[in-house]
Amino acid sequence: MRPPGPVALVLAILSVIAVPASGQVGFEPFTTDSTLNADSPAPVASQPSPSSFVGIQGQPRITVTFEEVEIRDVLASFSEFTGRSIVPGAGVTGQVTATIRDQPWDVVLETILRAYGLAFQESSSGIIQVDAIERLQERQTQEPLVTQTYRINYVPVEEIAASLEPMGSERGRLSVNPSTNTLIVTDVQSVLDGMSQILEQLDVRTPQVSIQAKIIFVNRTDVEELGVTYDLRDSRSIRPEGLLAPSADEDAGGPVSGIVSLSGNSISALGNASVRVQQPQLEAILSLILGRHSLGTFIDALQAEELSDVQAAPLITTLDNQVAEIWVGERTPIRVVDVGVAGAEPGGAGAPRATAELVETGIRLRVTPHITADRRILLQLHAERSSAQLAATDIGVVFQQQQGATRLMVEDGETAVIGGLTVNEVVSTRTGIPFLMDLPLIGPIFRTSRDREQKRDLLIMVTPTIVEEQA
């Protein structure tokens, strides 16, 4: 009986120990040894279909042991097992000793060749050529150059060119035509084949994401003010500046401020005159005559409620991994006075320079979506609402701003609340006549009270949706 050859033994091993997708191995590994007994029958098993074994790279997984096997026999066994054409170069010699357990066959082949200083190159027809790395590089320098154009459909050609440029050989060159979005490559055929495979993965239609945001801002302000002012006057000569009737300078013909005329025993007084309710909605005056004295009582009252409800629903659609921004609002001019310009002039006689600066206020939404492999949406999002109001003093303008910035992952079509803020501000002011304003029960008639309560609520919601392609 004729002993089996090395290739037959390796093929028998590969056919038996090709690992199914479950990863279980139902045999004991053995070696292809030259001392194998000729009477011992080689393992016989039906050749498994490569499609029934799926590895991490979509290739059949194998477990095999080589012990001093000629590398050409190893390549022949891989060729028979995979059905691929493998052509070794003239300098491919040597013996292989390796133990492989549960790995894809293409990974095993590449690892074995790299360990022995070899490499493989696959042509466009599917033939795998194996040779020393130096020989493959030298052969590449002798190959004729071929020019090929690629029409890019979905990606800017400049981005594709930047990705493919490192793949070119030293002799190759790459250029772009932006007007037709075409890539022009001149290089050896093997490089062109590799670029074609990469282009199939890069030039794909990018999905779009529609982002619906909702920004709700509610501002409630309640104001209550109550003030009582007293003006006690003497009918004789004492006339301090008060509320009922200001004294006047007959020579000047106008009111006199801060002048008191004394002509005997008398009394005059003002209470709570410096702090009064601004823009009162109720004004009452009580007058009481006590002999030669008159008492005037002024009652001012104000109650105001202000409600501001701002709801914005910006909608924006953008490509995957692309920044999109939408802004609806106005530009508020702010006057800026540069006093330093006056001091910079010789002698400090220069005039201050005033300029106008535009500040953007309104609703702003900036988002960068990313669609994951399981069709979830990762959002890098910034939402903002701002407004300008005149300041209570002459300082200028006060800018109110509410914003939220976050990064979150949501399902397709799911609504997520990315920000919520509630601010409650209470301000109470009491001003009045010392000692009297603190008296129980009657204290309020000797003071001016101001209560202001402001509540601000902010809610930001976002709903991203993947835009499905039309059939």
Side-chain angles (χ1 to χ4, degrees):
M1 180 178 180
R2 183 178 179 181
V7 175
L9 291 176
V10 173
L11 284 175
I13 296 173
L14 291 175
S15 63
V16 172
I17 63 179
V19 182
S22 61
Q24 298 179 354
V25 181
F27 71 97
E28 293 294 333
F30 60 94
T31 60
T32 55
D33 197 341
S34 58
T35 59
L36 180 65
N37 189 350
D39 296 333
S40 300
V44 178
S46 60
Q47 177 70 23
S49 173
S51 60
S52 63
F53 309 114
V54 181
I56 58 175
Q57 297 184 3
Q59 300 293 343
R61 304 173 72 89
I62 60 174
T63 296
V64 65
T65 299
F66 298 110
E67 185 174 345
E68 296 183 358
V69 180
E70 289 292 334
I71 191 169
R72 289 178 174 269
D73 294 336
V74 173
L75 297 177
S77 64
F78 273 100
S79 176
E80 291 293 336
F81 176 70
T82 61
R84 307 289 294 274
S85 299
I86 301 178
V87 180
V92 178
T93 58
Q95 295 182 337
V96 177
T97 300
T99 301
I100 307 298
R101 298 187 182 278
D102 190 21
Q103 295 294 330
W105 74 266
D106 54 345
V107 176
V108 174
L109 177 61
E110 182 179 1
T111 304
I112 291 176
L113 294 178
R114 189 186 302 114
Y116 289 87
L118 303 174
F120 72 91
Q121 188 177 44
E122 185 175 0
S123 64
S124 58
S125 59
I127 299 177
I128 300 175
Q129 184 178 2
V130 178
D131 211 330
I133 299 177
E134 296 80 6
R135 291 177 178 266
L136 290 178
Q137 294 177 347
E138 181 181 356
R139 187 177 295 110
Q140 192 178 61
T141 60
Q142 299 175 357
E143 291 185 35
L145 296 178
V146 180
T147 300
Q148 188 168 345
T149 60
Y150 300 93
R151 180 68 178 271
I152 309 302
N153 297 316
Y154 303 109
V155 184
V157 67
E158 293 81 3
E159 297 182 8
I160 293 291
S163 301
L164 296 182
E165 189 173 1
M167 298 180 55
S169 63
E170 297 181 356
R171 301 164 56 203
R173 62 180 180 273
L174 187 148
S175 59
V176 299
N177 186 352
S179 60
T180 58
N181 212 47
T182 302
L183 180 68
I184 306 172
V185 183
T186 301
D187 217 316
V188 296
Q189 187 62 45
S190 58
V191 173
L192 295 179
D193 296 339
M195 287 187 177
S196 300
Q197 296 179 2
I198 298 298
L199 277 175
E200 293 178 359
Q201 303 177 20
L202 296 180
D203 187 24
V204 295
R205 183 171 181 175
T206 304
Q208 298 184 98
V209 181
S210 177
I211 299 101
Q212 171 76 59
K214 192 165 188 179
I215 303 175
I216 303 175
F217 179 72
V218 180
N219 187 1
R220 296 182 296 272
T221 303
D222 296 331
V223 179
E224 294 182 359
E225 297 186 27
L226 177 62
V228 181
T229 306
Y230 300 96
D231 189 347
L232 180 60
R233 292 296 184 98
D234 191 342
S235 60
R236 295 185 178 180
S237 57
I238 299 181
R239 305 286 294 177
E241 179 184 2
L243 300 175
L244 294 178
S247 60
D249 188 350
E250 297 180 356
D251 297 334
V256 178
S257 175
I259 297 180
V260 178
S261 299
L262 300 177
S263 60
N265 298 326
S266 186
I267 185 172
S268 179
L270 291 175
N272 297 337
S274 60
V275 179
R276 300 192 63 184
V277 176
Q278 301 295 326
Q279 298 179 349
Q281 299 303 310
L282 174 62
E283 292 182 295
I285 302 177
L286 301 178
S287 179
L288 180 62
I289 303 298
L290 300 174
R292 65 178 187 177
H293 294 85
S294 61
L295 176 63
T297 304
F298 296 81
I299 301 176
D300 299 328
L302 170 66
Q303 183 175 2
E305 295 182 0
E306 181 181 352
L307 175 62
S308 175
D309 187 357
V310 179
Q311 297 190 16
L315 174 65
I316 191 170
T317 302
T318 182
L319 292 175
D320 187 24
N321 295 321
Q322 297 295 320
V323 180
E325 182 175 356
I326 184 173
W327 172 69
V328 179
E330 59 186 9
R331 291 181 173 91
T332 303
I334 305 298
R335 186 180 182 185
V336 180
V337 179
D338 189 0
V339 183
V341 176
E345 297 292 335
R353 177 181 301 173
T355 59
E357 180 180 350
L358 296 178
V359 179
E360 294 181 350
T361 58
I363 304 296
R364 186 185 302 273
L365 175 65
R366 183 169 59 251
V367 61
T368 305
H370 170 65
I371 302 176
T372 62
D374 55 354
R375 291 185 64 81
R376 295 185 179 184
I377 304 175
L378 180 64
L379 294 176
Q380 185 78 33
L381 189 140
H382 175 88
E384 175 184 329
R385 182 262 177 190
S386 59
S387 63
Q389 295 181 355
L390 292 177
T393 61
D394 59 352
I395 193 173
V397 180
V398 176
F399 291 94
Q400 295 183 353
Q401 187 178 58
Q402 302 84 33
Q403 63 179 355
T406 184
R407 185 179 184 183
L408 73 161
M409 180 176 293
V410 296
E411 299 286 347
D412 181 17
E414 180 183 7
T415 299
V417 179
I418 68 168
L421 176 64
T422 298
V423 179
N424 190 4
E425 182 181 357
V426 178
V427 179
S428 298
T429 304
R430 302 288 184 267
T431 305
I433 302 174
F435 305 112
L436 297 180
M437 63 175 290
D438 297 327
L439 293 177
L441 300 179
I442 64 174
I445 66 175
F446 296 105
R447 67 189 180 206
T448 299
S449 303
R450 180 181 292 109
D451 297 323
R452 184 175 184 271
E453 181 178 3
Q454 185 177 25
K455 295 181 179 180
R456 289 173 289 181
D457 298 323
L458 174 66
L459 185 63
I460 303 176
M461 298 179 293
V462 61
T463 304
T465 304
I466 300 176
V467 180
E468 301 294 342
E469 298 182 4
Q470 298 295 332

